[in-house]
Amino acid sequence: MPKSKASKSSKSQSNPKKRQKLASDAKQSNTKPRPLGMDLTNDAAKDDEERRLESMLFGVPYTASGGPTMEITVDEDDEEEMEDTPDVQGGRELENMLDSDLFFLDDSAPSSSRPPVFDDAEELAADDETMDAEDAPSQPTPFLSASRKGKKAAAWADPDDTNVEVSLASKNRLRKLRDAPSEDVVGGREYERRLRRQFERINPTPEWASNARRKLQGKRRRGSQSGSEDEEDMLPDLLASTGAIGRTNIKTLSPGTLAVERLRDANDAARAEGEIKSLQFHPSPEVPVLMVASADRRLRLFHVDGATNPLAQTLHIPSLPLTSAVFHPSGSSILMTGPRPFYYTYDLQTGTSHRSPRGLWGTTFTSSTANAQDMSMDTSAFNPTGDILAVAGRRGAVHLVDWRSGSAQVVGSLKANSAIKSLWWARGPAAAGRGELMALGEDSSVYVWDVGQRRCVKRWTDEGGFGSRLMRGDRRGRYLTVGSNTGLVNVYAMDDVLLSGDAKPKPLKTLGNLTTNISTLHFNSDAQLLAMASSTKKDQLRMVHLPSLTAFGNWPTSSTPLGHVTAVDFSIENEYMAVGNNRGRVLLYQLRDYSQI
């Protein structure tokens, strides 16, 4: 028995962990614990270690017994060192304390320090109006602070920033933030302000941002002086003058020089096998998507960002050789047509496609009864609201399809004296609410139909009158252009076309910059630019300044690698211009004059 006790004693002495545990148990048995009913909010009863723990856990300033406030130097390197350094002194002082004395729930904080809870938008707006943007909060800022009047709400606000004190003289990289050589300690808010000031010194505000800020401040001053009634009266005119939702600034282009920068090809992520048949930007400025239809019977959607332009989706339609693809005016779907008596639609929201029934006009087309031109449905156009689709049929017929029903029902027809080469719906103030459809016939005649009454209200022969093959107007209803197979382009004023009665309108100017047949005519959204191109010869593209009706001389140049241009389109904000060619490439250019707005 004595031998057993001696063996047990030697084992405990050889194991340091057991020896430490025995000493701790003996010491704890002789220590009187703190009473459970003790008031933990009494600062006089707390020792230095408990005060230090409160400072670390709850962010309150640490005050030693009879000593000054503790300084916290904020630095990434120092924080790592503090985390790795053990607190040797506190190891023994805390071992005799109960867990209930070390940690407690702080229920004594005033209710005003808690984050405000807003039940509805009206309460939030009322609080914003009463809050002054320049006053510093008396309580710690909540994590999700309400937006102040005239300023955006901060995404994150740390309430401990008000309690932090930073020593600017302790680190070399912080000394540049001092305003005086003798300055040392600053608060958390002041430290943040000086960091922002140093960043703005290194990265000054761009000139375009400063100009935009000055214009915005000027508008706010004028708005506060004129009152809310003037602002409401001015809003319709402002939206009408911009031509695009959300645009409050229009760049006025000067003739002669066009600032153009080439970017990575729009379809560089998935180049087409065959020529580009059609391309179009999405009609909404919030959707930066470019649609590309090519001869390989595929339709591709690209996310245009000017850098990588990733491929978003590809649609393969084996039964339809694509010659035309357009967005619905609402931007919700895509219409795809070709030399077939049917079409496809693709719903962008549901991702489903639909094919129209064969023999849409009540006739079953076969190769023995109709040639390829008669079977084609690619000459079509939506009206501005997207309710009606006009489709050119055989022998000068134009069929009106009700697009609202979803069943592609033909609700009416119009008749011309020759085959229809091009369709365009009249827009702008001169055609407001009148639903006028314009068509270019094979005999160079231009027809204007009142769709509501199903009658032709005007007809005239295009100036020059030989080989007119393409007609396009702009979205704002200012101009109408007619291109011929000789390279001439007549530019008409839309008001003269629609409001001149029976008189034959005279073109504003005939543009003769190209010498081969016109295959592409396209306006930008504010009707200041016209792109006209011919696919017959290489690099046949010209940009026209419409207010002066003159072509830009600096671009494109003889070294611009355009190829045989088959399609052109502008983004809705006019920042980008896409050019498709016969090699399956979609060249992307940035119009610098518009990108700086």
Side-chain angles (χ1 to χ4, degrees):
M1 196 68 181
K3 184 178 180 180
S4 176
K5 288 183 179 181
S7 175
K8 194 172 185 179
S9 176
S10 61
K11 287 184 179 180
S12 62
Q13 292 177 2
S14 62
N15 193 332
K17 292 186 178 181
K18 289 186 176 181
R19 185 172 62 253
Q20 182 179 2
K21 183 178 180 181
L22 292 174
S24 176
D25 293 341
K27 187 175 182 180
Q28 185 174 359
S29 61
N30 298 328
T31 304
K32 185 178 180 181
R34 179 179 297 185
L36 296 178
M38 182 178 180
D39 186 9
L40 297 178
T41 61
N42 184 10
D43 291 340
K46 302 175 184 177
D47 56 11
D48 291 346
E49 190 59 29
E50 189 169 356
R51 296 171 190 267
R52 188 180 293 108
L53 281 174
E54 280 190 347
S55 176
M56 295 172 60
L57 292 175
F58 307 111
V60 298
Y62 168 72
T63 305
S65 302
T69 302
M70 177 182 178
E71 282 189 10
I72 303 177
T73 304
V74 179
D75 188 86
E76 295 181 359
D77 299 333
D78 291 348
E79 287 178 356
E80 294 178 358
E81 293 176 1
M82 291 173 62
E83 293 175 359
D84 296 338
T85 303
D87 189 356
V88 180
Q89 181 181 357
R92 300 196 193 99
E93 294 179 2
L94 301 179
E95 62 184 3
N96 298 325
M97 298 182 62
L98 299 177
D99 291 345
S100 59
D101 295 340
L102 287 174
F103 304 100
F104 66 95
L105 296 178
D106 188 2
D107 296 331
S108 60
S111 59
S112 59
S113 64
R114 298 177 181 176
V117 179
F118 300 100
D119 294 334
D120 49 38
E122 296 180 358
E123 219 174 329
L124 177 60
D127 188 74
D128 288 346
E129 293 178 357
T130 58
M131 185 178 292
D132 189 357
E134 300 299 328
D135 293 340
S138 58
Q139 300 293 338
T141 307
F143 294 139
L144 297 177
S145 59
S147 57
R148 299 181 180 182
K149 190 175 182 180
K151 292 187 178 182
K152 292 183 178 180
W156 174 263
D158 193 344
D160 290 340
D161 289 348
T162 56
N163 302 322
V164 172
E165 292 185 352
V166 182
S167 175
L168 302 181
S170 60
K171 296 291 182 181
N172 293 333
R173 62 179 182 178
L174 298 181
R175 293 178 181 178
K176 62 175 73 71
L177 302 178
R178 296 180 299 177
D179 292 336
S182 58
E183 189 177 16
D184 187 5
V185 179
V186 295
R189 300 296 184 188
E190 179 65 17
Y191 178 66
E192 179 183 357
R193 188 187 68 82
R194 296 195 185 187
L195 286 176
R196 293 181 182 273
R197 182 183 64 184
Q198 182 67 16
F199 178 82
E200 292 175 356
R201 287 177 181 175
I202 302 175
N203 304 281
T205 305
E207 183 179 358
W208 63 266
S210 301
N211 296 336
R213 191 175 300 168
R214 285 195 295 268
K215 291 179 182 179
L216 182 60
Q217 292 175 354
K219 289 180 180 180
R220 287 178 177 174
R221 295 193 198 97
R222 292 193 298 268
S224 61
Q225 296 174 0
S226 60
S228 59
E229 295 182 359
D230 296 341
E231 291 178 0
E232 293 177 358
D233 296 338
M234 185 174 57
L235 184 60
D237 297 335
L238 182 62
L239 295 177
S241 63
T242 58
I245 298 177
R247 291 288 299 273
T248 59
N249 224 345
I250 290 185
K251 174 69 176 180
T252 302
L253 298 181
S254 301
T257 303
L258 184 65
V260 178
E261 179 183 356
R262 184 180 177 184
L263 305 175
R264 176 179 292 186
D265 289 356
N267 67 337
D268 190 57
R271 186 171 298 180
E273 298 178 2
E275 72 175 62
I276 303 300
K277 293 294 185 179
S278 177
L279 56 86
Q280 185 185 2
F281 284 92
H282 195 276
S284 172
E286 305 298 329
V287 184
V289 172
L290 175 65
M291 174 184 60
V292 179
S294 52
D296 56 1
R297 305 194 182 194
R298 285 174 171 82
L299 185 139
R300 298 174 175 89
L301 301 176
F302 296 91
H303 183 278
V304 178
D305 57 6
T308 58
N309 306 321
L311 175 67
Q313 197 168 14
T314 300
L315 278 74
H316 183 208
I317 311 173
S319 61
L320 180 63
L322 289 175
T323 57
S324 177
V326 293
F327 283 106
H328 187 267
S330 65
S332 60
S333 61
I334 300 173
L335 172 66
M336 296 165 280
T337 58
R340 297 290 186 271
F342 57 88
Y343 61 83
Y344 276 88
T345 58
Y346 179 73
D347 193 306
L348 294 173
Q349 297 178 349
T350 62
T352 58
S353 60
H354 173 73
R355 172 177 163 168
S356 67
R358 180 178 289 271
L360 182 63
W361 322 128
T363 304
T364 302
F365 294 100
T366 62
S367 59
S368 60
T369 60
N371 56 33
Q373 183 178 2
D374 292 333
M375 295 173 62
S376 176
M377 290 181 58
D378 56 356
T379 304
S380 59
F382 282 107
N383 69 335
T385 60
D387 297 337
I388 300 176
L389 176 68
V391 182
R394 296 184 295 173
R395 301 184 182 92
V398 178
H399 304 280
L400 303 176
V401 181
D402 183 8
W403 206 256
R404 293 170 297 181
S405 62
S407 59
Q409 182 179 1
V410 178
V411 295
S413 298
L414 307 169
K415 188 68 172 68
N417 295 336
S418 61
I420 301 299
K421 307 292 290 184
S422 186
L423 292 172
W424 182 259
W425 288 86
R427 310 182 187 194
R434 288 161 50 171
E436 292 172 324
L437 176 65
M438 308 179 69
L440 175 65
E442 196 174 25
D443 58 354
S444 301
S445 297
V446 179
Y447 298 84
V448 181
W449 283 296
D450 188 327
V451 175
Q453 300 181 7
R454 304 289 196 274
R455 68 184 184 92
C456 181
V457 296
K458 190 171 185 176
R459 175 189 173 189
W460 85 94
T461 302
D462 180 40
E463 189 77 14
F466 178 76
S468 301
R469 62 187 310 271
L470 183 63
M471 177 182 63
R472 284 292 182 272
D474 68 286
R475 299 174 181 174
R476 305 188 67 187
R478 292 183 177 180
Y479 304 99
L480 178 71
T481 57
V482 180
S484 67
N485 56 10
T486 60
L488 298 177
V489 176
N490 291 328
V491 182
Y492 297 89
M494 189 66 76
D495 291 344
D496 294 343
V497 172
L498 299 179
L499 304 177
S500 60
D502 296 334
K504 178 181 178 179
K506 295 292 182 181
L508 300 175
K509 189 175 181 179
T510 300
L511 303 174
N513 303 89
L514 299 177
T515 58
T516 54
N517 61 318
I518 302 298
S519 59
T520 300
L521 289 171
H522 203 85
F523 293 84
N524 72 332
S525 62
D526 63 6
Q528 293 192 74
L529 293 176
L530 168 66
M532 55 183 188
S534 173
S535 60
T536 305
K537 294 178 63 176
K538 193 176 181 179
D539 301 333
Q540 294 297 294
L541 171 69
R542 296 294 181 270
M543 300 292 294
V544 179
H545 180 258
L546 285 169
S548 63
L549 293 174
T550 58
F552 290 95
N554 70 313
W555 193 88
T557 63
S558 58
S559 60
T560 305
L562 297 174
H564 293 263
V565 178
T566 58
V568 177
D569 194 27
F570 297 90
S571 63
I572 195 65
E573 297 285 350
N574 302 313
E575 181 181 3
Y576 299 113
M577 174 184 174
V579 179
N581 59 25
N582 64 334
R583 301 182 62 182
R585 299 178 61 183
V586 179
L587 308 177
L588 186 64
Y589 296 92
Q590 184 179 35
L591 303 180
R592 301 291 298 277
D593 296 311
Y594 289 99
S595 61
Q596 296 177 359
I597 294 179

